Amino acid sequence: MSSCFCALQCVLAIVVGFSSASAQDANLLAAAKREGRVVWYSSVGESQQFAQEFEKKYPFIKVDVVRGTVYPLMNRILNEAATGNYLFDVVRQATLTIGLLIQRGLVQPYESPERAAYAAGWKDKQGYWTSTDDNYFVIGYNTRQVSAAEAPKDWDDLLAPKWRGKIGMDPDNHILYGALEQSWGRNKAISFFRRLAQQQIQFRKGNTLLSQLIVAGEYPLGFVYAHRVEFLKSQKAPMDWVSTMNPIVTTGGPLALAAKARNPNAGKLLIDFLLSRDGQLQLRKFYRIPSRADLEPISSKLDPKRLRLLPLSPASADKEEEWKKQFRAIFEIQ
């Protein structure tokens, strides 16, 4: 008799749970519909396409996308806040800059139900951010100039004399130094980067541009994004990337709700969509790497289970200036 009663209690608990969740969803949807719009500040190039997909699902909500690169977008938010103008509802930023926004109290926690599908390292415990997609910093190489057997296999291989003057890098890749300092320790990281600096690194602004220059044969190899290489490979470009680096420094695409959102419910709905399986599948179509743990990447080579990933945490935001200063001093970048 007691076992039947317990079973009935469990069934009732499940029913009540589903009812509560459905009521919550209905309330959020109704509130978002009343707001009718959401302002999204984003550093993602395809943000407008994602907004259009969201509007197809929720035609009663207009998404106003403000697209910008990472630091100008962050400065815009800080300048608006300084004048008391809080204009954005949702922000998608870079790993370290979202940390600064958290420190300044400009974003708030939101425990999206979709967060359950994201592993530790791709979300924070407090609910301030969840990553939409990943950037794997890897060594890409021109397959007409470098064979897979000749390509560097790990960090120390970059120090071989044959690569002197032949490695491309973005001058803002100080996060590579910072992540390796955290992983290896300060002394080992400084020692390695000083030796790397002796390789006459060729600096060009922009990781996407570096990929294009490698394809064009200007550099045989360089630091690029793995997903960008996979896209170029899909276009039959002569390029591949090294998957054996240990570690592979990884940054995410943190998504957060504004602390003083004018349209908080529509903002939550947009976050839910971008983190949902459907939203992440849309993201994957652009050859980006979904952060959602239950989705396979568009290429098996991008499978995180096969790689030694080192995700950088937004909690390291206060160290960025120090890392930048050290990185630029080592490479004598003005």
Side-chain angles (χ1 to χ4, degrees), residues 174-187:
H174 53 273
I175 60 172
L176 290 174
Y177 166 80
L180 293 179
E181 181 188 278
Q182 291 190 323
S183 178
W184 294 346
R186 181 177 174 83
N187 291 339

Side-chain angles (χ1 to χ4, degrees), residues 127-165:
Y128 279 101
W129 62 270
T130 311
S131 179
T132 57
D133 58 293
D134 303 342
N135 291 317
Y136 300 167
F137 285 91
V138 298
I139 294 296
Y141 59 93
N142 185 306
T143 55
R144 291 175 181 163
Q145 297 176 320
V146 181
S147 69
E150 294 171 322
K153 301 298 185 291
D154 210 341
W155 291 93
D156 283 342
D157 295 336
L158 295 170
L159 306 178
K162 66 179 179 179
W163 302 125
R164 185 166 291 123

